[in-house]
Amino acid sequence: MFSTIKTVKVYEEVILQIKGMVNSGKLKKGDKLISERELSNQLGVSRTSVREALRGLEVIGLIDCKQGEGNFIKKDFESNFFEPLSIMFTLNKSSTEEILELRRVIEVETVALAAKNITNEELIELKNLMDEMKRNKDEELKGNLDKKFHYKIAQASRNNLIVTVLDVISSLIDSFIKDARADILKKENDEEIIHYHHECIYNALIKGDAEEAASIMRMHMKLISQNILK
Amino acid sequence: MFSTIKTVKVYEEVILQIKGMVNSGKLKKGDKLISERELSNQLGVSRTSVREALRGLEVIGLIDCKQGEGNFIKKDFESNFFEPLSIMFTLNKSSTEEILELRRVIEVETVALAAKNITNEELIELKNLMDEMKRNKDEELKGNLDKKFHYKIAQASRNNLIVTVLDVISSLIDSFIKDARADILKKENDEEIIHYHHECIYNALIKGDAEEAASIMRMHMKLISQNILK
C-alpha cells in the first residue's frame, strides 16, 4: 500500500528552520532576526512566504515584530502559552469543574514540594502577604494578594514548568469563571476560614512538613471549588 | 501620565474576529470558513491581511488550510497544544527533572481521581494492557503499551483537561528525553518492579482506594525519574 506523502508548505519550512535555530540555541530570547529580505535571500523563498512565516511565529508568540525595528525572539514566551489552552478549553466545551480540579491536582503536590524547598525570605514574604490580606478591605486587592500567595508557593517548588502551568490555569479561571473570588466569599465566615487555611499552610511550610501542607491545601481547594460551583 | 496606546495590526483584528466566533460557538470543530475573498469583503480588509491571519491561525492549529478545499476549524486542536509548551521548554532551558516532576505531580492525584471514577470496562482494558506488556519482548511495543496504561488511567479521571495536559507532558518527555524507556530498564530487575507497580496500582483501582493508588503511583514515578536521571 502507498503511504500518504506529506506536503510541507513553503512558509512552514521557514518556520521549521527558525524554530530549529531556537532549539539548537543559535537564537536566544531577545535576539534580533535578520531582515525579511535577507531571510528571503538566504532561504531562497519569496518575501510572501517569509512574511507568512513571521506572522505565524508572531501569533504563537515566538517572535515580536516591532514596526521599523525588526523581528525579535520574544522574552516572555510564557504569556502566549495561555492562548492554545484557552481555545482548546472553548472548543472542547470543558467544564469549570475540570479547571478547578486540575488546579487542585497540581497545587496539592506543589505545596508538598514547596515544603521541602522554600527559603526563609519566601516564608517572610508569605507572612507579609497574609498580613496585608487581613488588613485590607478592598475585594479586588485582596484577590490579587491571594493570587500572589499561591504564586509564591508555586515558585517555592523550584520548578518553573509548574509555575508556568499554574499561571495559565489561573488565567483560565479568571477568564472563564467570572467573579470567582466574589463567589468564594458568598458566605460571611468563609473569609475567616480562608485566612485560617492560609495560616495552616504557612505553618506547615515553616515546619517543612510536606504531607501536612498537602492535606491542608487539598481542604483549601475543596472549599474554593464548592463555593464557586454551588 | 499618558498610558500607552496599543496598536492592533489588521491581521490581528481578523484573528480576533475569527476567534470570537469560535468562543461564541458560531464556529465549531470541523466547520468550514467562508472563502478568503468573502472574508476580505465582509471584514473590509485586504486579501493579504486575511491570508496573514489564516496563516497565523493555521500555525496555532486552530484551522486547517486544505489546498483547493478551503479553511476548516480543526478537529484535533489538542495536538497543537504541544508546540508552545515545547518552545517554552527550550527557551527557558528547563531541565528534564522539571518535566518528570510535573508528570509526577499530576499523575499522583490523577490516579486518586481514577480510583473513584474508573469503570469496569476500563479495569478490564488495564488488565489486558498489563498482560500484553508481560507477554511481549519488543521494547518499543512494550513502551507503547506502558504509555497506553497511563493514558487509560488519565482518562478514568473523567477530566479531559488532565488527559490533554498529561498527553502534552508525555510528548515533551518523548522529544526531550531520548530513549527514556531504555534508561528506565537499565537494571535487569527493574522491569519486574515496574510490572509489580502496575499490578499494585491496578489492585488499588479495583478496590477504589484513592490513597493507596496515589501512594503507589508516587513510588512508581520516583523509580522512573531516578532511572532516567542517574
Side-chain angles (χ1 to χ4, degrees):
Chain A
M1 221 165 50
F2 290 108
S3 61
T4 331
I5 295 166
K6 201 188 170 320
T7 52
V8 177
K9 294 169 188 164
V10 177
Y11 89 96
E12 286 178 330
E13 271 294 350
V14 178
I15 288 183
L16 282 177
Q17 292 227 15
I18 294 175
K19 275 189 195 162
M21 290 179 77
V22 170
N23 279 325
S24 68
K26 276 180 201 139
L27 281 173
K28 288 180 197 70
K29 284 186 182 183
D31 279 1
K32 189 179 168 175
L33 291 182
I34 55 174
S35 72
E36 278 182 25
R37 191 153 43 86
E38 281 175 275
L39 272 170
S40 145
N41 285 340
Q42 287 196 21
L43 296 164
V45 300
S46 72
R47 287 284 287 272
T48 310
S49 294
V50 168
R51 204 165 301 126
E52 284 179 338
L54 292 174
R55 286 307 186 222
L57 290 169
E58 191 180 19
V59 173
I60 59 166
L62 181 61
I63 64 169
D64 220 347
C65 303
K66 294 181 193 164
Q67 196 121 40
E69 290 183 58
N71 305 304
F72 299 82
I73 301 294
K74 237 185 168 171
K75 282 180 186 160
D76 58 338
F77 182 74
E78 291 79 353
S79 56
N80 289 74
F81 177 47
F82 168 64
E83 195 57 49
L85 192 60
S86 169
I87 294 176
M88 187 199 74
F89 186 81
T90 313
L91 281 180
N92 280 350
K93 306 195 196 326
S94 300
S95 65
T96 47
E97 278 99 328
E98 284 181 316
I99 313 180
L100 293 170
E101 195 167 67
L102 178 60
R103 183 187 170 195
R104 181 180 63 67
V105 158
I106 301 179
E107 287 221 30
V108 165
E109 288 287 317
T110 298
V111 77
L113 287 173
K116 291 176 197 152
N117 299 316
I118 199 161
T119 63
N120 286 334
E121 288 72 35
E122 284 170 328
L123 283 169
I124 293 167
E125 288 174 88
L126 283 183
K127 180 88 180 72
N128 290 339
L129 286 170
M130 289 192 316
D131 290 344
E132 259 192 272
M133 252 185 279
K134 270 192 205 158
R135 266 202 312 273
N136 260 294
K137 294 275 165 259
D138 183 69
E139 279 308 327
E140 204 185 322
L141 193 65
K142 277 195 284 192
N144 283 334
L145 291 167
D146 200 338
K147 260 186 222 164
K148 275 189 196 163
F149 183 84
H150 286 271
Y151 189 76
K152 186 67 54 196
I153 291 173
Q155 285 183 313
S157 76
R158 302 273 92 81
N159 184 324
N160 271 320
L161 217 48
I162 290 179
V163 176
T164 307
V165 173
L166 278 176
D167 212 25
V168 175
I169 293 173
S170 171
S171 309
L172 267 185
I173 292 177
D174 285 345
S175 63
F176 287 99
I177 308 175
K178 296 267 169 282
D179 308 316
R181 206 184 141 82
D183 280 344
I184 295 168
L185 302 172
K186 255 184 280 189
K187 286 193 290 182
E188 194 117 317
N189 62 341
D190 272 358
E191 180 146 5
E192 275 168 49
I193 300 176
I194 285 176
H195 281 313
Y196 178 65
H197 282 172
H198 283 171
E199 259 165 42
C200 292
I201 291 170
Y202 172 73
N203 288 331
L205 289 174
I206 285 189
K207 284 190 281 176
D209 189 332
E211 251 176 78
E212 191 181 306
S215 96
I216 303 161
M217 184 62 91
R218 182 175 286 118
M219 219 160 55
H220 185 53
M221 292 286 129
K222 211 172 155 188
L223 172 78
I224 291 172
S225 304
Q226 279 171 346
N227 283 17
I228 291 179
L229 298 173
K230 78 182 165 196
Chain B
M1 222 166 47
F2 290 107
S3 61
T4 330
I5 295 166
K6 199 185 172 321
T7 53
V8 176
K9 292 170 189 164
V10 177
Y11 89 96
E12 285 178 330
E13 270 295 350
V14 179
I15 288 183
L16 281 176
Q17 293 226 16
I18 294 175
K19 276 188 193 162
M21 291 179 75
V22 170
N23 279 326
S24 68
K26 276 180 201 140
L27 282 173
K28 289 181 196 71
K29 285 184 183 185
D31 280 359
K32 189 180 169 174
L33 291 183
I34 55 175
S35 72
E36 278 183 24
R37 192 153 42 86
E38 282 176 274
L39 272 171
S40 145
N41 285 339
Q42 287 196 21
L43 296 165
V45 300
S46 71
R47 287 285 287 274
T48 310
S49 295
V50 168
R51 204 164 302 125
E52 283 179 338
L54 292 174
R55 286 306 185 222
L57 290 169
E58 191 180 19
V59 173
I60 60 166
L62 181 61
I63 65 170
D64 221 347
C65 303
K66 293 180 191 162
Q67 198 122 38
E69 290 184 58
N71 305 305
F72 300 83
I73 301 293
K74 238 185 169 171
K75 282 181 186 160
D76 58 336
F77 182 73
E78 291 79 354
S79 56
N80 289 75
F81 177 48
F82 168 64
E83 194 59 50
L85 192 61
S86 168
I87 294 175
M88 187 200 72
F89 186 81
T90 313
L91 281 180
N92 279 351
K93 306 195 194 329
S94 301
S95 65
T96 47
E97 277 99 328
E98 283 181 317
I99 316 180
L100 294 169
E101 196 169 65
L102 177 60
R103 182 186 171 196
R104 180 179 64 67
V105 158
I106 301 180
E107 288 222 29
V108 165
E109 289 287 315
T110 298
V111 78
L113 287 173
K116 291 173 197 157
N117 300 315
I118 199 162
T119 64
N120 286 333
E121 289 72 34
E122 285 170 327
L123 283 169
I124 293 167
E125 288 173 88
L126 283 183
K127 181 87 180 72
N128 290 339
L129 286 169
M130 289 191 316
D131 290 346
E132 260 193 270
M133 252 185 279
K134 269 191 205 158
R135 264 201 314 272
N136 261 294
K137 295 277 165 255
D138 183 69
E139 280 307 326
E140 204 183 323
L141 194 64
K142 277 195 284 191
N144 284 333
L145 291 167
D146 200 337
K147 261 186 222 165
K148 276 188 195 161
F149 182 84
H150 285 271
Y151 189 76
K152 187 64 56 196
I153 291 174
Q155 285 183 313
S157 76
R158 303 274 92 82
N159 184 324
N160 272 321
L161 216 49
I162 290 179
V163 176
T164 307
V165 173
L166 278 176
D167 211 25
V168 174
I169 293 172
S170 170
S171 309
L172 267 184
I173 292 176
D174 285 346
S175 64
F176 287 99
I177 308 176
K178 297 266 169 281
D179 308 317
R181 207 184 140 81
D183 279 344
I184 295 167
L185 302 172
K186 253 184 279 187
K187 286 194 291 181
E188 193 116 317
N189 62 342
D190 273 356
E191 180 145 6
E192 276 167 49
I193 300 176
I194 285 177
H195 283 311
Y196 179 66
H197 282 173
H198 283 170
E199 260 165 40
C200 292
I201 290 170
Y202 171 74
N203 288 331
L205 289 174
I206 285 189
K207 285 190 281 176
D209 190 333
E211 250 175 79
E212 191 179 307
S215 95
I216 303 161
M217 185 61 91
R218 182 175 286 117
M219 219 160 55
H220 185 53
M221 291 287 129
K222 210 173 155 190
L223 173 78
I224 291 173
S225 304
Q226 278 171 345
N227 283 17
I228 291 178
L229 298 173
K230 79 183 166 194

